[in-house]
Amino acid sequence: MKVTLSALDTSESSFMPLVVIEFAQDVKEETKEWLKNRIIAPKKDGGAQLLFRPLLNKYEQETLENKNLYLVGASKIRMLLGAEAVGLVKECNDNTMRAFTYRTRQNFKGFDDTNDDFLTMAECQFIIKHELENLRAKDEKMIPGYPQAKLYPGKSLLRRLLTSGIVIQVFPLHDNEALKKLEDTWYTRFALKYQPIDSIRGYFGETIALYFGFLEYFTFALIPMAVIGLPYYLFVWEDYDKYVIFASFNLIWSTLILEVWKRGCANMTYRWGTLLMKRKFEEPRPGFHGVLGINSITGKEEPLYPSYKRQLRIYLVSLPFVCLCLYFSLYVMMIYFDLEVWALGLHENSGSEWTSVLLYVPSIIYAIVIEIMNRLYRYAAEFLTSWENHRLESAYQNHLILKVLVFNFLNCFASLFYIAFVLKDMKLLRQSLATLLITSQILNQIVESLLPYWLQRKHGVRVKRKVQALKVDIDATLYEQVILEKEMGTYLGTFDDYLELFLQFGYVSLFSCVYPLAAAFAVLNNFTEVNSDALKMCRVFKRPFSEPSASIGVWQLAFETMSVISVVTNCALIGMSPQVNAIFPESKADLILIVVAVEHALLALKFILAFAIPDKPRHIQMKLARLEFESLEALKQQVSL
């Protein structure tokens, strides 16, 4: 017998707050009451069937500020049924991984009717977020109390409330005790050690755990490149022909680390259960809108939007805008080269120590301008991708990443390609690469971690003083926590973090035979990056909602594409070296043919290695095959009945 929410009593006397909803200060009471009724209403009536109450009671609201903060939770049974609805995968008593179902709950390892720890707090918050986002308008034409806030069937209520400014924000609460334990094993004691990836996953979810796992893996993978690059920098700086071995090692290294990562990632995500989570029929993303209809595949009622309209928006608006931004980036690059010529001319005329320092100023200014342009473009790309109205979150992310990667790649590397292959100035190439790499790393550390942490510390002191001055009998601990966290910055996801690693990978791999120290600087940066990012996650930003992930997604393809480009770049640089050109003093055609042949051979070697190394270890493949076989057998039995 199938268990449904309507058949169960989901009310509980104990209320564990998991998620906070903050309304605008002047929101009408009828609007709050309407949303409350939708949140607590049964699923069969279009509600979320969650628990909902204000942070402060009526007496406290008369004496304190922040009257528009509300807490959302859920009963234990509601959470278990929600886990089944979102398709969470858990470990069974026979050590296999299976999708959780409420009917077979006793078969899962660690489950007990008296045990409240079967689902992690992050999983519970993910379930609540899923239910809130899937509250959709049916018969309502507008938000009660706000005639201008129109609704139409299928529109996400939460999304409409957020865009209209009625709801300020929705965020999950930290678990201070669990957070303190995580910090103690993660970053508070500085030491060269592995990160507690499983603990990070338990607290922040799989997406963030995979980022920190990849950051750690990539950092350790860079160490061989850094160790080999140091003697090349010290002893054979100008002998480009000797870099053939170093460049070849770089190319094989870049392929191997990405293939080995995929195997390690499969191991982790199988253990976490996300490798088995079904992604074939994703729910529409909250921002997706259209006319309410029936999905022809799932049979569910959801918004429908013609794909041709989306394609028109992409090709007639988004694509021309991206091309315009790329042109502007190249225009700024040419201004940078004019500054380089001016600084060099000034130094040649005077020859003083001051002008020798001035030679680095254009590169530093250009590096800062690149960071500013990248951040401004990111906002425009997010707006355009949202306006394109993609149905799935995965499609939205893929289009956003593609837009941002194309611009960032050209913005960060166009000047280096121009110096290398047009100006053919290797000294300037080394100087520009070193300046861009080091300046971008310093700026990222300051902007992403140090500055937000300093601002957050100042705000935390002010909040604690206000709470300590209160004379009212309230739960000051919870009140202080909510007030403190609501003013924290919002973590916008791992996009910027992966982008930083992608650009770093480009600096290391594209021009390795010109600047072998790039890997060493990347290692030094990443050792501090681990701790600064951990501090940022725990103390600077609000706790993000957990998001299940089976891999690093499209970023894997982005890194692999960069490694292919690095083959072409390094082969071309070696072919341009004076030592290699001296071998073919008369026939440049022979030199070009040999360079192209070597490039093709290395590309072939890369693809052979990628094909020869399976993405999933053998034991994972066997377990997945076994589960698929059991599913087919179960389906046969159902058909025969």
Side-chain angles (χ1 to χ4, degrees):
M1 177 182 174
K2 185 179 178 182
V3 182
T4 60
L5 278 170
S6 57
L8 296 167
D9 178 16
T10 59
S11 62
E12 287 186 359
S13 56
S14 60
F15 184 98
M16 180 182 178
L18 294 170
V19 174
V20 177
I21 296 178
E22 181 184 5
F23 288 94
Q25 286 299 320
D26 57 348
V27 169
K28 299 175 182 178
E29 288 301 320
E30 64 176 304
T31 309
K32 297 180 187 177
E33 193 65 24
W34 167 74
L35 182 61
K36 173 188 173 183
N37 291 335
R38 288 299 303 268
I39 290 175
I40 66 176
K43 290 282 287 182
K44 62 183 178 63
D45 297 332
Q49 206 157 344
L50 301 172
L51 304 176
F52 183 87
R53 73 166 175 83
L55 172 64
L56 305 173
N57 61 38
K58 290 183 179 179
Y59 167 70
E60 294 164 353
Q61 288 181 5
E62 293 173 359
T63 55
L64 296 173
E65 299 176 355
N66 304 294
K67 303 173 183 178
N68 291 314
L69 292 167
Y70 288 78
L71 306 175
V72 183
S75 67
K76 180 180 176 180
I77 297 176
R78 178 68 186 89
M79 283 299 182
L80 294 174
L81 290 167
E84 179 178 349
V86 299
L88 288 187
V89 175
K90 290 287 187 178
E91 187 176 6
C92 295
N93 292 323
D94 60 359
N95 297 323
T96 60
M97 304 295 294
R98 299 180 188 278
F100 176 80
T101 61
Y102 185 82
R103 182 175 56 83
T104 61
R105 60 192 182 280
Q106 298 296 342
N107 297 336
F108 289 85
K109 188 176 288 186
F111 182 84
D112 189 282
D113 288 325
T114 60
N115 178 21
D116 293 331
D117 298 327
F118 178 70
L119 296 176
T120 66
M121 188 176 181
E123 288 171 336
C124 293
Q125 290 167 334
F126 167 69
I127 292 167
I128 289 179
K129 172 177 176 277
H130 176 269
E131 296 296 342
L132 290 175
E133 286 181 344
N134 281 281
L135 283 174
R136 296 190 178 271
K138 290 200 172 225
D139 302 324
E140 304 97 332
K141 302 297 182 184
M142 64 177 186
I143 295 175
Y146 294 87
Q148 74 279 9
K150 303 295 184 184
L151 290 173
Y152 50 87
K155 181 70 175 177
S156 170
L157 297 182
L158 188 62
R159 179 80 174 190
R160 188 69 183 94
L161 288 165
L162 286 167
T163 54
S164 60
I166 297 170
V167 170
I168 302 298
Q169 59 182 334
V170 180
F171 62 92
L173 280 171
H174 274 294
D175 180 343
N176 289 327
E177 184 178 344
L179 182 62
K180 184 67 172 66
K181 289 180 181 178
L182 177 60
E183 288 178 315
D184 289 341
T185 59
W186 194 3
Y187 72 92
T188 53
R189 300 168 188 168
F190 185 79
L192 296 178
K193 60 181 181 180
Y194 291 108
Q195 298 177 87
I197 300 297
D198 285 334
S199 299
I200 298 170
R201 176 254 171 180
Y203 191 84
F204 288 110
E206 291 80 14
T207 298
I208 290 172
L210 279 175
Y211 163 70
F212 280 100
F214 182 75
L215 172 59
E216 178 181 85
Y217 172 81
F218 182 56
T219 303
F220 281 104
L222 281 168
I223 292 176
M225 287 291 296
V227 171
I228 294 173
L230 190 60
Y232 270 91
Y233 175 79
L234 294 175
F235 303 118
V236 288
W237 182 246
E238 296 295 341
D239 297 331
Y240 293 103
D241 57 321
K242 295 180 182 178
Y243 287 125
V244 173
I245 299 174
F246 180 70
S248 301
F249 174 78
N250 183 337
L251 301 172
I252 297 171
W253 165 85
S254 63
T255 302
L256 285 175
I257 65 165
L258 294 174
E259 293 303 315
V260 172
W261 162 253
K262 283 194 281 190
R263 292 170 63 85
C265 180
N267 269 321
M268 278 193 299
T269 53
Y270 178 83
R271 188 173 70 248
W272 296 340
T274 52
L275 190 63
L276 301 174
M277 286 187 72
K278 294 183 179 179
R279 289 287 181 182
K280 290 183 180 178
F281 304 113
E282 293 181 63
E283 295 284 344
R285 55 186 292 268
F288 177 66
H289 58 83
V291 179
L292 195 66
I294 302 297
N295 187 308
S296 58
I297 298 175
T298 63
K300 294 181 178 179
E301 192 178 47
E302 66 175 49
L304 301 178
Y305 186 78
S307 61
Y308 78 88
K309 290 186 178 180
R310 185 180 305 112
Q311 297 302 320
L312 287 175
R313 291 185 175 191
I314 291 173
Y315 290 111
L316 296 183
V317 179
S318 297
L319 185 59
F321 176 80
V322 172
C323 292
L324 182 65
C325 290
L326 294 178
Y327 173 79
F328 181 73
S329 173
L330 292 175
Y331 181 78
V332 172
M333 181 189 75
M334 298 313 296
I335 295 175
Y336 155 66
F337 285 119
D338 290 341
L339 288 175
E340 284 283 1
V341 172
W342 171 78
L344 183 62
L346 195 65
H347 177 65
E348 289 175 350
N349 291 332
S350 64
S352 65
E353 292 183 4
W354 181 83
T355 55
S356 64
V357 174
L358 188 65
L359 289 175
Y360 291 91
V361 172
S363 294
I364 294 173
I365 293 174
Y366 185 51
I368 295 172
V369 170
I370 283 175
E371 289 297 318
I372 295 171
M373 288 170 63
N374 285 345
R375 293 179 186 277
L376 291 175
Y377 175 82
R378 167 74 185 276
Y379 293 119
E382 286 179 344
F383 173 80
L384 276 177
T385 311
S386 179
W387 177 72
E388 289 166 6
N389 196 28
H390 296 278
R391 176 183 177 272
L392 302 180
E393 183 64 29
S394 57
Y396 170 84
Q397 289 296 333
N398 290 344
H399 280 79
L400 176 62
I401 289 171
L402 180 61
K403 288 185 184 72
V404 174
L405 282 188
V406 168
F407 181 81
N408 277 257
F409 182 84
L410 187 77
N411 204 27
C412 294
F413 299 117
S415 62
L416 301 179
F417 279 102
Y418 186 82
I419 294 169
F421 301 116
V422 178
L423 300 181
K424 299 181 181 180
D425 187 341
M426 296 303 141
K427 183 177 179 181
L428 179 59
L429 180 61
R430 286 196 297 269
Q431 174 190 313
S432 298
L433 177 58
T435 307
L436 287 173
L437 176 64
I438 296 170
T439 305
S440 65
Q441 289 177 346
I442 293 172
L443 285 175
N444 281 323
Q445 292 284 358
I446 294 173
V447 174
E448 292 183 6
S449 299
L450 297 180
L451 182 61
Y453 178 69
W454 177 71
L455 293 173
Q456 182 57 32
R457 282 288 298 270
K458 289 185 66 176
H459 171 69
V461 170
R462 289 198 302 269
V463 169
K464 287 182 179 179
R465 285 175 182 168
K466 287 180 71 174
V467 173
Q468 289 169 359
L470 294 175
K471 303 296 183 183
V472 223
D473 183 19
I474 66 167
D475 184 354
T477 305
L478 178 61
Y479 180 77
E480 177 185 342
Q481 180 185 353
V482 173
I483 300 305
L484 182 62
E485 290 183 24
K486 85 179 185 72
E487 297 297 334
M488 286 180 169
T490 301
Y491 181 64
L492 299 176
T494 56
F495 187 99
D496 289 328
D497 298 315
Y498 278 120
L499 181 61
E500 185 180 344
L501 290 180
F502 172 78
L503 296 176
Q504 185 185 93
F505 182 67
Y507 286 128
V508 171
S509 61
L510 288 177
F511 303 98
S512 58
C513 61
V514 174
Y515 192 62
L517 273 188
F521 280 116
V523 169
L524 292 175
N525 174 78
N526 288 358
F527 275 126
T528 58
E529 184 83 14
V530 169
N531 290 288
S532 63
D533 281 354
L535 173 68
K536 174 176 70 177
M537 294 303 307
C538 295
R539 293 296 169 188
V540 175
F541 291 118
K542 297 182 185 74
R543 183 179 187 173
F545 281 104
S546 168
E547 287 291 341
S549 293
S551 67
I552 63 174
V554 72
W555 290 106
Q556 181 78 35
L557 178 61
F559 278 87
E560 290 171 354
T561 304
M562 180 69 83
S563 70
V564 171
I565 297 172
S566 72
V567 173
V568 181
T569 304
N570 281 281
C571 288
L573 286 173
I574 291 170
M576 289 168 52
S577 68
Q579 291 81 3
V580 174
N581 273 265
I583 302 173
F584 303 92
E586 297 179 358
S587 177
K588 297 299 180 185
D590 290 344
L591 172 60
I592 293 172
L593 289 174
I594 290 174
V595 169
V596 171
V598 170
E599 171 214 315
H600 280 60
L602 288 171
L603 283 173
L605 179 61
K606 280 177 65 67
F607 291 124
I608 289 170
L609 285 172
F611 179 77
I613 302 173
D615 292 350
K616 299 180 181 67
R618 178 68 177 169
H619 68 281
I620 298 292
Q621 294 180 29
M622 294 293 291
K623 290 175 179 177
L624 293 175
R626 179 185 170 190
L627 285 174
E628 185 177 355
F629 172 76
E630 290 177 356
S631 298
L632 289 173
E633 289 298 309
L635 183 62
K636 288 178 183 177
Q637 291 179 6
Q638 288 180 2
V639 171
S640 63
L641 291 174

